């Protein structure tokens, strides 16, 4: 005769089955939620990385570029200017207190870091956000490199100090991020150009070799981006801006010097001009009216001559 389950056993059995059903349901629900969250996170990461995707309708507007200039680019340039002035003083004054100078530069970098870190940059313009982040990293690394070299700086001369800095990983990374930030800013100008003129490309990949016939066909915004690439690739941290080298190259070609010297590639001319210290900050403004009167440019202070 079969043994019947009493009420207690039946209750335990039903409770067990109910718990089993709940556990299985919770498991599959957890898998579903986890999968959805992972997919959403991956989409966010892809969106953050894909700065070449078509920008949002309100991205890279004139006011975004101008605001970035005043709140991020200009403070960084002020630090950069102080650094170049310090280098000039080190070279020209053997009695200069190198240690004190480095400590002061570290303080300046920290102060500019605080200024730039509080600047608002719209997330709708990711290249500008990239530039801001790169400039911040650069300032932090430069500050650390200057502080690390300050204690023993007065035991060396200016040449030895610069050699020590150039061998310092913080310094070289700071330089690299500075040029990366500059590159992102000039790429953002291309994005702006594409919003005001559909014939403008919104990006341009610099070829390994660019002959002068191709260079002459490029718009000024594209040329500046190519030069920003060149400066970044060659770790040229300079007082002049990309448009200054662009102008010197175009003037070199226009004057007939390129043909006379049988220079046929952009790189060869860029190397000649930078290698002979033939480019100065402000060269673009000196040549703007003559060379670029019809070019479309964002109304940024470094593109507009003082009146």
């Amino acid at each position: 005769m079969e043994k019947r389950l009493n009420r207690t056993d039946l209750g335990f059995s039903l409770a067990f089955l109910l718990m089993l059903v709940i556990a299985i349901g919770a498991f599959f629900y957890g898998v579903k939620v986890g999968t959805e969250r992972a997919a959403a996170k991956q989409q966010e990461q892809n969106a953050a990385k894909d700065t070449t995707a078509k920008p949002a309708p309100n991205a890279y507007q004139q006011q975004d570029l101008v605001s970035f200039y005043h709140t991020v680019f200009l403070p960084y340039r002020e630090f950069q200017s102080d650094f170049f002035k310090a280098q000039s003083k080190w070279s020209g004054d053997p009695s200069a207190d190198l240690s004190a100078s480095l400590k002061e530069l570290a303080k300046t970098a920290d102060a500019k870091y605080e200024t730039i870190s509080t600047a608002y940059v719209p997330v709708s313009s990711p290249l500008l956000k990239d530039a801001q982040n790169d400039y911040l990293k650069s300032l932090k690394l430069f500050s650390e490199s200057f502080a690390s070299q300050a204690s023993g700086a007065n035991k060396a001369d200016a040449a030895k100090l610069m050699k020590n800095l150039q061998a310092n990983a913080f310094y070289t990374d700071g330089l690299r991020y500075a040029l990366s930030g500059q590159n992102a800013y000039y790429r953002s100008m291309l994005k702006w150009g594409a919003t005001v003129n559909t014939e403008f490309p919104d990006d341009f990949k610099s070829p390994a070799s660019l002959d002068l016939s191709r260079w002459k066909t490029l718009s000024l915004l594209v040329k500046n981006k190519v030069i920003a690439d060149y400066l970044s690739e060659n770790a040229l941290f300079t007082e002049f801006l990309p448009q200054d080298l662009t102008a010197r190259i175009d003037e070199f070609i226009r004057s007939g010097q390129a043909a006379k010297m049988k220079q046929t590639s952009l790189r060869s001319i860029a190397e000649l001009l930078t290698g002979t210290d033939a480019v100065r900050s402000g060269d673009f403004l000196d040549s703007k009216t003559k060379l670029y009167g019809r070019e479309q440019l964002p109304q940024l202070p470094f593109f507009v001559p003082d009146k």
Side-chain angles (χ1 to χ4, degrees):
M1 185 174 180
E2 295 182 1
K3 184 177 180 181
R4 293 178 177 275
L5 294 174
N6 58 36
R7 289 186 176 182
T8 301
D9 293 336
L10 184 60
F12 277 124
S13 298
L14 291 174
F16 174 76
L17 289 173
L18 180 61
M19 290 176 64
L20 184 61
V21 170
I22 292 172
I24 293 172
F27 171 77
F28 284 107
Y29 177 75
V31 170
K32 179 175 181 294
V33 171
T35 302
E36 290 175 348
R37 288 181 177 176
K41 185 175 182 180
Q42 185 63 44
Q43 288 179 347
E44 290 177 0
Q45 291 175 341
N46 291 341
K49 292 178 181 178
D50 189 12
T51 56
T52 63
K54 185 177 180 180
N58 61 340
Y60 304 106
Q61 297 298 301
Q62 168 83 21
Q63 61 266 29
D64 297 333
L65 297 178
V66 173
S67 176
F68 184 91
Y69 176 93
H70 288 290
T71 62
V72 177
F73 178 81
L74 189 57
Y76 190 89
R77 284 287 289 179
E78 289 168 351
F79 157 75
Q80 193 174 357
S81 177
D82 285 351
F83 179 40
F84 287 129
K85 287 177 182 176
Q87 289 185 67
S88 179
K89 183 177 181 180
W90 299 344
S91 300
D93 182 4
S95 64
D97 189 337
L98 303 182
S99 178
S101 181
L102 284 175
K103 290 177 182 178
E104 189 62 32
L105 284 172
K107 289 181 181 178
T108 300
D110 290 339
K112 297 304 181 183
Y113 181 95
E114 292 302 318
T115 298
I116 293 174
S117 66
T118 61
Y120 171 74
V121 177
V123 294
S124 59
S125 300
L127 283 171
L128 292 178
K129 286 295 294 182
D130 289 346
Q132 180 187 33
N133 290 333
D134 284 343
Y135 280 133
L136 287 171
K137 291 174 184 176
S138 175
L139 288 167
K140 181 65 70 175
L141 289 162
F142 274 137
S143 175
E144 292 177 358
S145 71
F146 296 149
S148 69
Q149 297 293 316
S151 61
N154 286 335
K155 298 176 183 178
D157 58 16
K160 178 63 175 175
L161 173 58
M162 284 307 303
K163 186 175 181 180
N164 290 341
L165 282 173
Q166 290 163 359
N168 182 280
F170 289 142
Y171 178 86
T172 55
D173 283 346
L175 186 151
R176 178 169 58 85
Y177 277 114
L179 293 170
S180 178
Q182 176 174 264
N183 190 284
Y185 191 25
Y186 280 79
R187 284 183 64 198
S188 74
M189 295 177 207
L190 270 184
K191 299 289 187 186
W192 168 85
T195 69
V196 298
N197 187 336
T198 56
E199 294 183 0
F200 280 4
D202 69 352
D203 205 351
F204 183 84
K205 182 175 176 57
S206 298
S209 178
L210 183 62
D211 61 50
L212 298 188
S213 59
R214 175 82 187 283
W215 167 263
K216 293 175 184 178
T217 68
L218 303 178
S219 69
L220 179 57
L221 287 176
V222 174
K223 287 180 177 179
N224 288 342
K225 193 270 181 181
V226 170
I227 295 302
D229 288 341
Y230 170 80
L231 295 175
S232 184
E233 290 166 5
N234 291 276
L236 295 177
F237 188 59
T238 63
E239 290 187 74
F240 64 80
L241 293 170
Q243 62 265 26
D244 295 316
L245 179 51
T246 296
R248 289 291 292 117
I249 290 171
D250 283 339
E251 184 61 42
F252 190 79
I253 296 170
R254 185 175 182 271
S255 69
Q257 288 297 306
K260 183 178 180 181
M261 299 178 67
K262 294 182 170 48
Q263 299 287 342
T264 60
S265 74
L266 170 71
R267 178 171 291 275
S268 65
I269 297 177
E271 289 174 348
L272 174 65
L273 294 173
T274 56
T276 56
D277 198 24
V279 189
R280 295 287 183 272
S281 178
D283 280 346
F284 167 78
L285 295 178
D286 292 340
S287 301
K288 181 183 177 183
T289 302
K290 178 171 58 176
L291 298 177
Y292 310 113
R294 297 183 179 181
E295 291 280 355
Q296 283 186 292
L297 293 169
Q299 292 300 300
L300 299 172
F302 55 39
F303 288 145
V304 181
D306 293 331
K307 295 182 180 179

